[in-house]
């Protein structure tokens, strides 16, 4: 899979311990900087040549939020009558490190088949919104919690945090209410049909973040090297 190849580009040349040599501090520092910069450049070029996954469009009528690849906020938005529905996504492994990686379920994508959705349903004239935390899988979607949160602004690239009571545990609600909440978000298009797009979107975001990391770390070390040379 594409993400597995992406991580392999970093792992195929593991860092080696540098033997302790008696030499001047400046020469050691220069050698270390050069080694890191060379490795960063090699990895940057390797990752830049990778073919991204096929482009997938979100299910209509959802649209992609402009700038979402560079932020941590909503990825998709749509209107439902007078309501606005916004969706943010993160990988399960980002919330619980290592989750899904060694589960033995045949998943080769390191948790990419287990996503968390933040779904906000807002109405005009209100400062708060109805927030759902959901688990999304290739063939299913389940609700973990329902709460009221500050409304996510249309131009926001970050998630709103709760400042009031989060409500009861979803599993403690009676079955009829749980079923009704599932029907509520399904009517607004929140279901497993979102999975292919959000999975591909996360692959692309991973690629961007890795490229940016190689470049920013290299720039920092190179600037430090230049400062010492002056």
């Amino acid at each position: 899979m594409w993400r597995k190849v992406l991580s392999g580009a970093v792992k195929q040349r593991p860092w080696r311990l540098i033997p302790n040599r008696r030499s001047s501090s400046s020469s050691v520092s220069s050698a270390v900087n050069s080694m890191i910069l060379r490795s960063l450049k090699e990895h940057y070029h390797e990752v830049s040549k990778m073919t991204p996954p096929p482009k997938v469009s979100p299910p209509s009528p959802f649209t992609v939020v402009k700038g979402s690849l560079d932020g941590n906020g909503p990825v998709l938005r749509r209107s439902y009558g007078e309501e606005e529905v916004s969706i943010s996504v993160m990988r399960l492994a980002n919330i619980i490190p290592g989750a899904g990686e060694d589960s033995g379920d045949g998943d080769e994508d390191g948790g990419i088949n287990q996503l968390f959705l933040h779904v906000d349903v807002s109405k005009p004239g209100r400062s708060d919104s109805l927030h759902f935390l959901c688990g999304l899988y290739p063939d299913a979607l389940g609700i973990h919690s329902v709460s009221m949160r500050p409304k996510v602004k249309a131009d926001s690239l970050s998630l709103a945090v709760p400042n009031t009571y989060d409500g009861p545990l979803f599993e403690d609600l009676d079955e009829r209410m749980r079923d009704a909440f599932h029907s509520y978000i399904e009517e607004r298009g929140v279901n497993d049909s979102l999975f292919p797009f959000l999975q591909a979107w996360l692959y692309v975001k991973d690629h961007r973040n890795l490229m940016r990391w190689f470049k920013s770390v290299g720039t920092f070390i190179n600037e430090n090297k230049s400062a010492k040379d002056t």
Side-chain angles (χ1 to χ4, degrees):
M1 298 296 290
W2 190 80
R3 184 170 178 267
K4 192 171 183 180
V5 173
L6 189 65
S7 62
V10 179
K11 295 178 181 177
Q12 66 183 1
R13 293 193 183 94
W15 298 108
R16 296 179 175 84
L17 292 176
I18 302 174
N20 185 18
R21 297 187 179 92
R22 295 182 179 275
S23 56
S24 66
S25 176
S26 61
S27 62
V28 171
S29 178
S30 178
V32 170
N33 287 351
S34 296
M35 180 188 70
I36 294 175
L37 289 171
R38 183 170 58 254
S39 295
L40 287 170
K41 185 176 181 180
E42 290 175 357
H43 289 313
Y44 181 89
H45 286 303
E46 287 174 6
V47 175
S48 67
K49 294 176 182 177
M50 291 181 181
T51 302
K55 186 175 181 180
V56 181
S57 299
S60 178
F62 282 100
T63 58
V64 182
V65 176
K66 184 178 180 180
S68 59
L69 280 171
D70 298 314
N72 295 314
V75 176
L76 297 173
R77 280 202 177 99
R78 66 157 295 184
S79 295
Y80 182 81
E82 292 187 348
E83 298 174 353
E84 183 176 81
V85 181
S86 62
I87 296 176
S88 304
V89 62
M90 60 184 64
R91 197 174 295 106
L92 177 62
N94 290 350
I95 302 174
I96 307 174
E101 293 182 0
D102 299 309
S103 59
D105 60 0
D107 181 10
E108 297 180 353
D109 294 312
I112 194 66
N113 286 336
Q114 302 177 65
L115 307 178
F116 269 144
L117 298 188
H118 291 271
V119 181
D120 277 282
V121 181
S122 62
K123 295 184 178 183
R126 292 192 60 102
S127 61
D128 54 3
S129 61
L130 189 58
H131 179 87
F132 295 83
L133 177 60
C134 305
L136 178 64
Y137 306 88
D139 57 355
L141 180 140
I143 299 174
H144 291 284
S145 67
V146 182
S147 61
M148 299 300 299
R149 292 196 176 188
K151 183 185 294 186
V152 176
K153 295 181 180 180
D155 58 350
S156 174
L157 291 180
S158 61
L159 293 172
V161 295
N163 56 10
T164 57
Y165 172 59
D166 280 345
L169 294 174
F170 190 74
E171 61 188 24
D172 291 341
L173 300 176
D174 65 61
E175 186 176 357
R176 287 183 302 173
M177 186 175 293
R178 295 198 302 268
D179 290 343
F181 274 127
H182 276 100
S183 296
Y184 182 89
I185 61 173
E186 286 174 1
E187 287 178 2
R188 287 153 179 80
V190 183
N191 53 51
D192 56 25
S193 68
L194 295 170
F195 186 87
F197 169 79
L198 292 174
Q199 183 190 50
W201 184 89
L202 283 171
Y203 283 149
V204 175
K205 187 176 179 69
D206 277 351
H207 184 269
R208 273 200 182 191
N209 285 340
L210 186 56
M211 294 281 288
R212 187 182 293 115
W213 183 86
F214 285 140
K215 188 173 182 179
S216 60
V217 172
T219 299
F220 179 88
I221 292 176
N222 195 46
E223 287 177 351
N224 186 46
K225 177 183 176 183
S226 300
K228 288 186 175 182
D229 291 340
T230 57

